Amino acid sequence: MDALSGAGPRRARCSLGAASPGARAAAAPWARFSAWLECVCVVTFDLELGQALELVYPSDFRLTDKEVGPGPPGSSRGPDLSRPSPSFLCFRKAASATCPSLTPTQCSGQRSPWHAEDRHYNSGAPMSLQREPAHYFGYVYFRQVKDSSVKRGYFQKSLVLVSRLPFVRLFQALLSLIAPEYFSKPAPCLEAVCSEIDEWPAPVPGQTLNLPVMGVVLQVHIPSRVDKPEYSPPKPCSHENLLPAPVILSSVHELDLFRCFQPVLTHVQTLWELMLLGEPLVVLAPSPAVSSELVLALISCLQPLKFCCDYRPYFTIHDSEFKEFTTRTQAPPNVVLGVTNPFFIKTLQHWPHILRVGEPKMAGEVGLSFAQGARGLGLGAPRVLSCGTEVQHRVCSVGDLPKQVKLKKPSRLKTLDTKPGLYTAYSAHLHRDKALLKRLLKGLQKKKPWDTQTALLRRHLLELTQSFIIPLEHYMASLMPLQKNITAWKTPPQIRPFRQDDFLRSLEHAGPQLTCILKGDWLGLYRRFFKSPHFDGWYRQRHKEMAQKLEALHLEAICEAQNIETWMKDKSEVEVVDLVLKLREKLVQAQGHQLPVKEATLQRAQLYIETVIGSLPKDLQAVLCPP
C-alpha cells in the first residue's frame, strides 16, 4: 500500500486555458477516469486519534482529512457492533475554500482540463443530475470488525468514491464489487480498478453504456433531459455478444422510494411541500445508511425540478459547517440535514422541522438492502437490479402499512429519547391524497413487488410536481417576445418581467386544477414558493434559457436576411465593426452549445462575417483578422 500511495500514474497539473499540448497529452491517461470520479480514497478511524486519510488514488490528488467526509458510523459514540458490517452511506460536502475545484492542481483554484467537457454533459443532463462544481459526493463502504490486534479491539476502515455526479445507485453497485476485493488484497485491486474506470466511455446523456469492472459488465443508461419517465425496469439492450453477460442497473440514481418512505407514507405530501418550499429540515435516523437514503429520497421528490438548497445526507459534529448550522444567533439555513447522533435533538431544537425515524422493523437493516441485492452481481444470464433490492424485506404484515410516525408539535421535542415523529408546526396547504394510500395498501394486500409500489409513489410525486410547475412554465412562456417581432437589424426585444400578481390571477383558468385532482390552498402554496430558493433557481434558469433562445432567433433572423450588402451601404464603419463583433460573440456562444442553433445557421453566420469584413478597408481587416 505504501508503494501505491507514492507511485503509479500521475495526472499532469495545468490550468484551464493555459495548458500546452504536451500538458494535455500528459493529462490524457486520466481524462476518462475524471469524467466519472474525482478520486478513490481509503479512510481509517482510530477511536482515540480520530479519522485519517490513509490513501488517495490517483496519488497526486489533494484531499485533507476534513474534506474526505464525516467519521464512520457510530464514531462519535464508539463502535456499534449491533449493526451488520459492512454498510453503505453517502455524504455531500462543499469543496474546500482553499481548493474550490477539488482537483489535483495543488489548490491553485484552477479547474483541470479534463473538466472542460462539463458544459456538454450538463447541457443534456436533467437539472437534478448535473455535475456540481461547488459540491462533491462521497459514496462510502464502511467496514467495522472486531480485531484483538488493534487497540480497544476494533478495526474500522472506509473505502470512499469521490465524485461530482449524483449517481448513488451506480456507485453503490461499484462499491459492492470493489470493496470486498480491496479488503482482501488492497493495493493491486485499487490500482487495477482505477485503470479499468479510465477505459470507460464518458457519461453522455441519453446513451446506454457498458462499463466493465472486475470481470463484471455494468450496463447503465445515462439519463437525458428529453427522456420520458420510466415506471418499470428498462428492457435489456443489445448485449453485442458480451462475455460475461452484462448486469443491468435499472437506474444510476433512483432509490427505492417505497422502502425509504415506509415510516412516513402518510406524511409524504407534507414532506413534499417542505422540500418544495426549501424549508430547513433535520432527519434523525438510526443509522447513516438510513439517514443518507432518506435525505436523498426527499431531495428526489421534486424531480424534474432542481433542488436548489443545500443538503447533507449524512452530517456529523465533525463537519466544518457544524457551528454554522447549529448557531441560534440567526435563522436556520435552507438545508436538509441527515444525522444519527441524538445530540442533534438538543443542538438543533430551534429548527422548525425535525423528522425522527426509528429502527426499521424488518429482517436486517433497511439501509443495507442494497448490499443483499448486490450479492447477485456476478456472472451469468442478464438480470435487472431495480431500485437497489432484489430481496423483498418484510416490513409489516400483509394488508397493513408499515408503522407510521406521527405529526407532533415542536414543543414536545425536548429530550434525547424523543419518540419517532415529524415535529413541526407547519400545516400542509394541500389535502392528503387518501387514494394514494389506499392504492399502496391494496398493493401490500396483493403482495405486489416493491418495484411496483415505488413506481406508483414516484409517479404520484412526479405528477404532483408537474402539476405545480406547468402553470409557471406556461406563464413564463407568455413573457417571451413573439418571433415576428425579432428582426435582423434591430436589437431583439426584451423578455417581459415576471409579475406574481398576474400569474396568480392566471391560475383561475390555467391552474394546477387542470391536471391534479388534489384540493387545497394552491394560491397560498405558490405565494410561499415565490419566497423560496427554488423559485429563484427555477426563474433564473428559465430566464437564461429564454434569453439564449432569443439570441438564437436573432442570429437566425440575421442569417436569413438577404440584403446585408444593402444594409451596409448607409452604415458607418463603427456600426459595421459592431455587427462583426456581435456576430462573432453569438457564433462563439453557439459553438459552445450555449445557443440552440442549427449547424447550417452557424455556417451562414461565418460566411456573413467574412463578407462584412471583406467590405472594410484593409487596415480594419488586419485588426479584425490578424495574421
Side-chain angles (χ1 to χ4, degrees), residues 249-564:
L249 291 182
S250 61
S251 171
V252 295
H253 68 287
E254 290 178 343
L255 297 169
D256 184 345
L257 290 187
F258 184 71
R259 175 171 56 83
C260 294
F261 286 150
Q262 54 95 12
V264 294
L265 289 172
T266 54
H267 305 301
V268 160
Q269 231 161 265
T270 299
L271 291 169
W272 174 83
E273 288 190 23
L274 293 177
M275 294 299 100
L276 181 71
L277 301 177
E279 288 287 312
L281 174 69
V282 178
V283 176
L284 179 59
S287 72
V290 177
S291 164
S292 56
E293 285 202 338
L294 185 49
V295 169
L296 291 174
L298 287 169
I299 300 309
S300 71
C301 283
L302 297 188
Q303 291 180 356
L305 186 67
K306 182 178 181 179
F307 192 83
C308 297
C309 300
D310 197 0
Y311 62 97
R312 305 301 169 91
Y314 178 46
F315 186 82
T316 74
I317 59 176
H318 303 293
D319 277 89
S320 57
E321 295 93 347
F322 175 76
K323 288 185 178 180
E324 175 188 346
F325 290 166
T326 57
T327 180
R328 293 173 181 261
T329 59
Q330 57 190 24
N334 302 100
V335 183
V336 180
L337 288 184
V339 301
T340 59
N341 194 333
F343 170 75
F344 280 105
I345 287 187
K346 251 189 169 181
T347 309
L348 301 177
Q349 200 175 66
H350 61 292
W351 279 47
H353 320 288
I354 296 180
L355 172 62
R356 180 164 193 177
V357 294
E359 291 281 359
K361 298 183 182 300
M362 59 175 64
E365 189 70 44
V366 63
L368 297 177
S369 62
F370 181 84
Q372 297 193 14
R375 290 175 184 168
L377 285 172
L379 308 181
R383 59 196 170 280
V384 176
L385 299 182
S386 179
C387 298
T389 176
E390 282 181 341
V391 181
Q392 297 288 326
H393 290 291
R394 295 298 297 270
V395 298
C396 55
S397 60
V398 175
D400 296 325
L401 283 176
K403 186 177 180 180
Q404 301 293 289
V405 302
K406 296 181 179 180
L407 200 63
K408 301 182 179 182
K409 295 180 180 180
S411 58
R412 299 183 62 182
L413 188 69
K414 293 181 179 180
T415 61
L416 295 182
D417 58 349
T418 300
K419 294 181 179 179
L422 176 57
Y423 295 82
T424 178
Y426 179 82
S427 297
H429 290 77
L430 304 182
H431 300 164
R432 181 181 298 175
D433 189 350
K434 296 180 180 179
L436 172 68
L437 295 175
K438 288 181 180 179
R439 293 179 67 183
L440 292 173
L441 181 59
K442 190 174 182 180
L444 286 172
Q445 292 170 343
K446 293 185 175 182
K447 301 182 181 179
K448 288 186 178 181
W450 278 27
D451 289 352
T452 304
Q453 299 284 75
T454 285
L456 174 62
L457 190 54
R458 179 170 287 116
R459 180 165 57 241
H460 169 78
L461 293 170
L462 176 65
E463 291 174 352
L464 188 58
T465 304
Q466 287 178 330
S467 295
F468 184 84
I469 291 297
I470 285 174
L472 288 163
E473 294 283 354
H474 285 170
Y475 176 76
M476 194 71 184
S478 71
L479 306 179
M480 182 77 170
L482 297 176
Q483 188 167 352
K484 66 179 182 180
N485 296 330
I486 302 172
T487 57
W489 314 120
K490 292 183 179 180
T491 301
Q494 298 294 308
I495 300 170
R496 294 191 296 279
F498 190 105
R499 302 188 186 281
Q500 296 180 10
D501 290 340
D502 290 346
F503 167 75
L504 293 175
R505 280 192 292 268
S506 72
L507 294 179
E508 185 176 351
H509 59 272
Q513 71 275 7
L514 299 180
T515 55
C516 184
I517 61 173
L518 291 183
K519 305 295 182 181
D521 184 12
W522 286 98
L523 286 177
L525 188 59
Y526 278 112
R527 287 192 179 97
R528 289 196 63 166
F529 178 71
F530 289 146
K531 301 175 184 178
S532 75
H534 291 129
F535 172 72
D536 183 67
W538 171 84
Y539 175 76
R540 287 176 183 273
Q541 180 62 30
R542 290 294 291 119
H543 192 277
K544 177 183 175 181
E545 292 172 355
M546 290 170 63
Q548 291 174 344
K549 180 64 175 177
L550 199 57
E551 291 290 328
L553 291 173
H554 189 225
L555 179 60
E556 291 176 2
I558 293 174
C559 293
E560 291 172 3
Q562 302 296 323
N563 57 345
I564 188 169

Side-chain angles (χ1 to χ4, degrees), residues 18-78:
S20 64
R24 288 184 183 276
W30 288 110
R32 292 187 174 185
F33 178 91
S34 296
W36 295 93
L37 292 172
E38 300 292 324
C39 68
V40 179
C41 52
V42 178
V43 182
T44 56
F45 186 81
D46 185 278
L47 291 174
E48 294 180 343
L49 303 178
Q51 70 180 33
L53 189 60
E54 178 180 308
L55 170 69
V56 179
Y57 198 85
S59 53
D60 61 355
F61 199 95
R62 299 296 180 241
L63 268 180
T64 66
D65 293 345
K66 289 185 178 180
E67 285 174 326
V68 80
S75 63
S76 59
R77 302 183 302 278

Side-chain angles (χ1 to χ4, degrees), residues 111 115-133 164-165 167 203-207 222-227 306 541 544-545 548 589-597:
R111 299 184 75 195
H115 289 312
E117 298 301 311
D118 275 9
R119 187 169 61 245
H120 301 296
Y121 168 79
N122 286 348
S123 65
M127 294 293 295
S128 58
L129 295 181
Q130 292 180 349
R131 281 196 183 98
E132 297 188 43
R164 291 189 297 121
L165 291 169
F167 292 170
V204 178
Q207 289 191 3
I222 307 301
S224 166
R225 62 175 59 188
V226 299
D227 288 346
K306 182 178 181 179
Q541 180 62 30
K544 177 183 175 181
E545 292 172 355
Q548 291 174 344
Q589 287 180 321
Q591 290 172 339
H593 301 280
Q594 296 179 24
L595 295 183
V597 295

Side-chain angles (χ1 to χ4, degrees), residues 97-174:
T98 58
C99 190
S101 54
L102 196 69
T103 55
T105 53
Q106 294 185 329
C107 296
S108 63
Q110 300 292 327
R111 299 184 75 195
S112 299
W114 46 82
H115 289 312
E117 298 301 311
D118 275 9
R119 187 169 61 245
H120 301 296
Y121 168 79
N122 286 348
S123 65
M127 294 293 295
S128 58
L129 295 181
Q130 292 180 349
R131 281 196 183 98
E132 297 188 43
H135 294 87
Y136 63 90
F137 295 88
Y139 303 97
V140 183
Y141 179 105
F142 172 68
R143 192 181 186 207
Q144 176 179 265
V145 294
K146 198 165 185 177
D147 187 348
S148 57
S149 65
V150 179
K151 193 173 183 180
R152 297 184 66 176
Y154 299 103
F155 166 89
Q156 297 186 96
K157 185 175 287 191
S158 294
L159 181 63
V160 185
L161 305 181
V162 179
S163 176
R164 291 189 297 121
L165 291 169
F167 292 170
V168 58
R169 288 273 288 106
L170 171 61
F171 291 124
Q172 280 185 336
L174 194 57

Side-chain angles (χ1 to χ4, degrees), residues 568-585:
M568 289 189 299
K569 285 181 181 178
D570 60 344
K571 296 297 183 293
S572 65
E573 291 179 353
V574 173
E575 291 174 299
V576 174
V577 170
D578 184 59
L579 174 64
V580 171
L581 297 177
K582 287 182 178 179
L583 279 176
R584 277 186 172 170
E585 182 182 358

